[in-house]
Amino acid sequence: MDKAQLKAKFEEMFGSGGTIRFFSSPGRVNMIGEHTDYNGGYVFPAALSMRTMIAFRERQDNIIRMAATDLDVLVEADINNLDNYKDLKWGNYQLGIADVMKKQGYYIGGCDMLFDDTTPHGGGLSSSAAIEVATAIAFATISNEKKGIDAPVDNIEMAKISQKAEHEYIGVKCGIMDQFASAMGKKDHAIFLNCATLDYKLVPLNIKGCKLVIANTNKKRSLADSKYNERRSECETAVEILSQYLPGITCLADVSVADFEKYADKIENETVRRRAAHVVYEIDRVVKSVEALEKDDIAYFGKLMNASHDSLRDLYEVTGIELDTLVEEARRLPGTIGSRMTGAGFGGCTVSIVKDEAVDEFKEKVGAAYTAKIGYAPSFYISEIGDGGREIK
Ligand code: GLA
């Protein structure tokens, strides 16, 4: 929906009058650097033009009312009991944000909100980060105005609040990548982000003559959260062991490739060793990818993307037959420069760099082969890289 349609729908649901404002934040695609963020490493995500847009109007009481344009749902929550809504199927992300922000001293007042998402739900493109960051920006904007703070909303702070809500309210120990990309994205750029320091550089995503094609497995994700937390603790185990030989390291990003090669065999558990190997080499690949892009060497960037996927399949084991099939079929085509899964894995999406003239063939051939093998069709999006979260005036 565009803004006018969303406004009309909002008035139909919540009545007309008052000032209706609009806040928006995008989903993201990660180009490379997977499962490195919570290890203090580098990531390289970009914000999409797919987004969440909220129509927002203040209320004069303590009730937050929320609905979505694509769901038959109306949630009503009491601001003084925000702890009570953790088990909601829809609305828990938003109320998690309200809870965290209220505890941090932001003004949180009653409001009506209508959400319109163009990022596919559960598709690995961070539809949840989009919802969180858009909600946080809405609340922070109102809070600043009530408190007479005449400064723009600090989007990095909004990313941190959103991650905290995931940890404390939703119970997923995610890294900072998705929320940071949603909050800080810039049109036609990817973000080279150091997840330990949050230092970042915007790098033009120069893929002249090519398109970014996102392919959605359309697999229903289950178990993703528990497996995610399991990978995280395997990495922590590796750090504990390696720190006996490399005193002072606090995360896998502190371990160089050379040091890892020297001490890898001290990690007796083979699974833990493979997890750590993925992370150490993946962080190195991110650095090399940014260098390649800056030198206009898309071919090498594509090779690094391929290597990233293979490592996520063989060492980190977060792909599965759906993602692997999409990637294998993509790589059969000469017009594919590189192809890999993006996001947490276990379903979700792949991202491929495909030559302009080969995009139609890509959709057709990859789509047909996937459907034949998996039994249902994937979806394709030709993605545009957009801006991060903001109020839409
Ligand atoms: C999910 C998490 C991110 C990141 C990726 C894997 O998207 O939310 O923090 O860990 O998985 O790279």
Side-chain angles (χ1 to χ4, degrees):
M1 282 187 188
D2 64 22
K3 209 172 132 184
Q5 290 166 322
L6 187 60
K7 180 166 186 255
K9 185 83 191 156
F10 180 95
E11 288 179 328
E12 186 189 312
M13 295 188 80
F14 296 118
S16 52
T19 309
I20 302 170
R21 298 168 74 166
F22 299 86
F23 299 90
S24 175
S25 207
R28 65 95 189 93
V29 60
N30 188 22
M31 296 306 301
I32 195 161
E34 220 63 83
H35 290 276
T36 50
D37 61 351
Y38 53 84
N39 286 298
Y42 290 114
V43 292
F44 196 45
L48 295 170
S49 53
M50 292 187 263
R51 48 74 186 145
T52 285
M53 182 152 62
I54 312 175
F56 181 105
R57 186 174 60 203
E58 287 184 68
R59 296 169 60 93
Q60 302 311 318
D61 58 14
N62 286 326
I63 301 296
I64 296 178
R65 275 200 306 177
M66 301 185 293
T69 53
D70 60 341
L71 297 170
D72 185 17
V73 57
L74 179 68
V75 166
E76 246 190 65
D78 179 345
I79 289 172
N80 296 315
N81 276 315
L82 285 170
D83 255 354
N84 285 356
Y85 307 99
K86 291 186 176 162
D87 296 330
L88 287 182
K89 272 206 148 137
W90 185 87
N92 53 345
Y93 287 106
Q94 295 90 323
L95 295 172
I97 296 291
D99 189 42
V100 167
M101 291 181 80
K102 190 159 180 257
K103 286 177 180 150
Q104 291 190 0
Y106 285 86
Y107 163 87
I108 302 289
C111 58
D112 290 332
M113 291 191 273
L114 178 61
F115 286 79
D116 182 60
D117 300 331
T118 56
T119 317
H121 290 291
L125 300 177
S126 297
S127 52
S128 49
I131 290 175
E132 289 159 359
V133 174
T135 306
I137 292 174
F139 286 143
T141 303
I142 303 297
S143 177
N144 280 359
E145 289 170 4
K146 297 278 181 209
K147 294 181 174 198
I149 299 172
D150 185 20
V153 169
D154 177 348
N155 273 23
I156 295 186
E157 204 47 46
M158 297 305 108
K160 290 184 189 165
I161 285 169
S162 301
Q163 184 197 28
K164 198 172 163 65
E166 286 254 3
H167 285 200
E168 292 174 5
Y169 205 87
I170 307 296
V172 177
K173 293 267 179 209
C174 65
I176 190 73
M177 170 170 75
D178 304 346
Q179 292 79 10
F180 196 96
S182 182
M184 298 297 291
K186 181 155 189 268
K187 191 169 171 39
D188 297 330
H189 288 69
I191 308 172
F192 178 40
L193 171 67
N194 177 331
C195 297
T197 60
L198 298 191
D199 289 337
Y200 70 98
K201 181 162 103 175
L202 293 169
V203 180
L205 204 49
N206 262 336
I207 51 165
K208 277 172 249 128
C210 296
K211 296 237 164 1
L212 276 190
V213 182
I214 293 177
N216 191 340
T217 60
N218 287 331
K219 181 190 180 188
K220 284 266 156 291
R221 282 205 285 176
S222 54
L223 276 179
D225 295 353
S226 61
K227 292 267 184 215
Y228 185 90
N229 287 344
E230 182 186 295
R231 292 294 179 282
R232 216 183 147 121
S233 61
E234 287 163 346
C235 292
E236 282 160 14
T237 306
V239 173
E240 244 170 68
I241 297 167
L242 290 173
S243 66
Q244 295 165 32
Y245 308 91
L246 299 165
I249 63 161
T250 60
C251 60
L252 283 174
D254 292 340
V255 182
S256 66
V257 168
D259 278 343
F260 183 73
E261 287 174 355
K262 200 157 155 200
Y263 296 112
D265 62 358
K266 304 290 182 198
I267 306 175
E268 275 171 30
N269 182 311
E270 208 239 325
T271 304
V272 173
R273 191 164 65 236
R274 280 190 287 133
R275 304 294 189 248
H278 164 74
V279 173
V280 170
Y281 292 106
E282 180 79 353
I283 291 171
D284 190 50
R285 278 190 287 270
V286 183
V287 177
K288 290 181 170 145
S289 296
V290 173
E291 282 167 11
L293 260 190
E294 287 178 333
K295 282 192 243 154
D296 262 344
D297 190 350
I298 310 182
Y300 185 47
F301 182 41
K303 288 209 172 86
L304 293 162
M305 288 173 73
N306 290 346
S308 166
H309 183 88
D310 297 350
S311 172
L312 289 155
R313 179 190 63 212
D314 301 334
L315 301 178
Y316 219 66
E317 296 179 287
V318 292
T319 57
I321 184 167
E322 297 83 3
L323 288 166
D324 290 338
T325 301
L326 285 178
V327 162
E328 266 163 44
E329 295 303 328
R331 288 188 199 163
R332 271 186 219 287
L333 305 174
T336 303
I337 310 287
S339 183
R340 61 181 292 276
M341 58 154 270
T342 184
F346 313 104
C349 290
T350 64
V351 56
S352 307
I353 299 183
V354 182
K355 288 191 182 146
D356 284 334
E357 63 276 14
V359 170
D360 287 339
E361 185 195 17
F362 181 100
K363 289 199 273 189
E364 195 186 302
K365 293 209 166 137
V366 174
Y370 180 88
T371 309
K373 186 157 174 186
I374 306 297
Y376 50 87
S379 312
F380 296 98
Y381 322 103
I382 307 301
S383 72
E384 280 167 43
I385 302 306
D387 285 319
R390 64 209 180 275
E391 179 167 11
I392 308 284
K393 300 234 169 145

